[in-house]
Amino acid sequence: MSDTKTFLLPDLGEGLPDATIVEWAVKVGDTIRLDDTLVSMETAKAVVEVPSPVSGKVLKLAGAAGDIVVTGTMLAEFELDPNQPQRADGQDTGHHHGGGHAPAPQAPAASAEPAAPAKPAEGGERADSGTVVGAMQSSDAVRSEQAVAVGGVKAMPAVRALARKLGVDLSRVRATGNDGVVTNDDVKRAAADGSAKIGAAPAAAVAAPARAPIAEAPAAPSRSTLSQSGRPMRTQPPGVAATGQPEQLKGVRRNMARVMADAHSKVVPTTLADDADIHAWAPGNDITGRLVRAIVVACKTVPALNAWFDGDKLTRTLHPHVDIGIAVDTDDGLFVPALRNADVLDSRGVREAINRLRVQVEDRSIPASELTGYTISLSNFGMFAGRYATPVVVPPTVAIIAAGKGRHQMTPVMGGFESHKVIPLSLTFDHRACTGGEAARFLKAMIDDLARAN
C-alpha cells in the first residue's frame, strides 16, 4: 500500500490564522517534486509561494482560487513516490509542515524563527534568510519568488493576483518582462485599455493583415479606473463591484479588521487636535518629510509617546530610536510599513525611504519584518480630504499622529489679519500609558517645529 502524507497549511511566518489561495501550480493527479512550487497564497502582508514538502502524486487540494484556508488545516494530500527525493523525518527546516501521515488537525508548531514572505525585492533589497516553508540552503540565500508558467503564461504570483482582481485574462496580455514574463505594468495597461478582459470575445486572428482596420468602430472612451501611469485612482477601486451580497474579507483587509477590533478592545484612546501654522515655510518643503521631522523632535522632547505598552503586565518601554509606521492606503486595505531610524535620516533620506516603502507596498514585495516593530505612527490622510480625525492606536504603540488637509485661515497679526496656511493635526494616545499633559507637550513640540521656515 502506497504511503500518503497530509500537508497542513503552515504559519507563513506572520502569526496569522489563515491565508487565501491565489493560484495552484498543480492539479489533482499531477506529480510534483520536493520543494517545487505547490500554491501561491495571499496573506495580510504579501503573496507568497508555498513549496511542496514531498515528492509524489497530488491526491487532494484544499480549495480553489479565492478560498480561505485556516492555518493548521489540510492544504494538500500526496501519495509519496519512493523513487523521488523526500525530506527525512528528522530534518529540521525551521518551519512547520503539517502533521505526519494522518489528517489530524493539530495546531502548527511555532516557527523556530520569524519568517518573511518569499518575494524578491528589486534593487538588491535583502530579505530575511528564513522564508516560507520548504528546504533552505544553509546560507543567507532565500527562496525568491519566481515567475511560474501556468497555462503557458509566465508571471509572478502577485501579478496573477492583480490580474484576477482587475478582471484581466493573462493569456491575452502582451508581456514586456524579461524572458516573456508578464509584469504588473502589463496587467495595469491591459486593464486600462480593456484589451484583455476575462470573458471578452477573442481578438481578431493573427493572420489578418497588419494594415486591416479594427472591425468595430471605437466606442466613446469610458472613464477608466486607472490613471495614465497605470495606478488605480481612488474614485473607484479596480475590480470592486457592489453586488449587494455578503463577501468574505481576504488578505490585507481581513487582517485589518482583526487588528482594528483588537485595538478597540484594548486601548483607552484620547485625541487632541490643533493647527500647525506653516506660513513661514520656504518653497520646496516636503510636507511628509517635515511631519516626520516634527515627530522626531517631539519624541525627543516627550519620550513617553515614543513607547510600547503592555497592558497585561502594566509595563512600558521607552525607545531611544524613532521608527515611524507610515499608513499607506491601497485598494486591498491598509498597510503600515516602518520608516526605520527616522531620527537619523535627513530630509532626502526620509523621502527616499518613504518612496521605497510605497513601491514595495504597491508591488506587494515588502518584507513582513518591515510591517512591524514601529514605535509611533503617522497617517497623512489629508492628501485626500478631511481636517481632523480620531486615528486608531495599534498596540503595543501608544500614539498616532494624523495630518489633515491643509487650508488657509485668517490669522491675527500685529496691525491686522493675514491669510496663513495651516495643517490640522490630530494626536490620539493611549491614556493608560500617557498623561494628557505629556500628549499636549508632544503636540506643541510638533507645532513649534512645523512653524520653522526650514
Side-chain angles (χ1 to χ4, degrees):
M1 182 176 177
S2 58
D3 199 6
T4 63
K5 179 177 180 66
T6 297
F7 179 40
L8 309 184
L9 175 65
D11 181 347
L12 297 179
E14 301 170 356
L16 299 175
D18 52 45
T20 303
I21 298 171
V22 173
E23 187 167 32
W24 290 102
V26 296
K27 60 182 181 296
V28 172
D30 286 352
T31 57
I32 189 171
R33 290 176 59 87
L34 174 69
D35 287 326
D36 281 353
T37 298
L38 172 67
V39 63
S40 300
M41 303 291 293
E42 181 180 18
T43 70
K45 310 291 175 63
V47 177
V48 298
E49 290 181 351
V50 178
S52 173
V54 299
S55 298
K57 181 179 179 181
V58 179
L59 300 179
K60 189 184 299 183
L61 300 176
D67 289 346
I68 296 172
V69 181
V70 176
T71 301
T73 62
M74 192 274 289
L75 181 62
E77 189 173 299
F78 306 92
E79 179 182 307
L80 303 184
D81 186 344
N83 299 317
Q84 295 293 331
Q86 305 290 349
R87 181 168 295 113
D89 289 339
Q91 182 177 353
D92 180 13
T93 65
H95 303 277
H96 176 73
H97 295 278
H101 301 276
Q106 64 192 58
S111 177
E113 59 182 352
K119 185 82 170 68
E122 297 181 6
E125 200 65 23
R126 188 183 69 83
D128 291 342
S129 57
T131 59
V132 297
V133 294
M136 299 295 156
Q137 298 295 326
S138 298
S139 70
D140 200 36
V142 301
R143 179 188 176 92
S144 297
E145 180 184 289
Q146 298 180 357
V148 181
V150 179
V153 180
K154 296 177 70 175
M156 297 283 193
V159 174
R160 296 181 183 277
L162 176 64
R164 181 171 290 105
K165 185 182 305 174
L166 300 183
V168 170
D169 183 351
L170 278 178
S171 65
R172 301 174 62 189
V173 175
R174 180 174 175 272
T176 62
N178 294 334
D179 199 24
V181 174
V182 178
T183 67
N184 270 332
D185 288 340
D186 296 336
V187 172
K188 291 174 182 177
R189 277 193 295 270
D193 60 28
S195 62
K197 290 183 178 178
I198 293 177
V206 177
R211 299 181 300 175
I214 298 175
E216 296 182 2
S222 59
R223 186 179 184 188
S224 172
T225 57
L226 300 177
S227 67
Q228 290 185 348
S229 64
R231 298 182 183 278
M233 295 190 296
R234 292 295 184 256
T235 52
Q236 173 73 33
V240 174
T243 63
Q245 300 298 317
E247 60 174 324
Q248 280 280 355
L249 296 182
K250 298 174 182 177
V252 180
R253 197 170 293 273
R254 186 179 182 89
N255 185 61
M256 180 181 69
R258 291 194 181 105
V259 170
M260 295 297 107
D262 180 67
H264 182 71
S265 68
K266 292 180 178 178
V267 175
V268 181
T270 305
T271 302
L272 296 178
D274 206 339
D275 296 326
D277 190 323
I278 61 172
H279 179 68
W281 278 18
N285 269 283
D286 182 331
I287 292 179
T288 303
R290 287 296 302 267
L291 286 169
V292 166
R293 191 186 79 179
I295 290 173
V296 169
V297 169
C299 286
K300 293 179 178 178
T301 304
V302 188
L305 276 76
N306 185 46
W308 290 346
F309 180 72
D310 188 327
D312 295 327
K313 299 178 181 178
L314 294 181
T315 60
R316 70 171 182 171
T317 303
L318 304 183
H319 297 287
H321 60 280
V322 182
D323 289 349
I324 303 177
I326 307 290
V328 177
D329 174 59
T330 75
D331 297 320
D332 295 324
L334 180 67
F335 284 81
V336 187
L339 175 64
R340 303 291 184 194
N341 301 311
D343 51 317
V344 298
L345 294 177
D346 59 14
S347 58
R348 181 178 177 181
V350 167
R351 174 45 55 192
E352 290 176 349
I354 290 176
N355 289 343
R356 173 180 57 81
L357 292 173
R358 185 172 293 278
V359 169
Q360 288 181 322
V361 165
E362 290 176 350
D363 292 344
R364 300 296 295 273
S365 63
I366 189 164
S369 59
E370 295 303 303
L371 294 167
T372 59
Y374 45 86
T375 60
I376 193 168
S377 303
L378 168 64
S379 171
N380 192 8
F381 70 91
M383 64 185 298
F384 302 123
R387 186 173 296 184
Y388 304 106
T390 54
V392 178
V393 175
V394 176
T397 61
V398 301
I400 178 172
I401 298 91
K405 189 175 183 64
R407 71 185 192 280
H408 285 84
Q409 71 176 20
M410 297 307 296
T411 303
V413 296
M414 186 70 68
F417 293 87
E418 290 181 355
S419 175
H420 286 197
K421 187 171 184 179
V422 298
I423 298 178
L425 298 177
S426 302
L427 168 62
T428 296
F429 63 98
D430 187 345
H431 218 323
R432 300 175 303 166
C434 313
T435 68
E438 288 170 331
R441 289 191 292 275
F442 184 97
L443 188 57
K444 183 179 185 302
M446 281 195 66
I447 291 172
D448 290 345
D449 187 75
L450 288 169
R452 296 171 56 188
N454 288 297

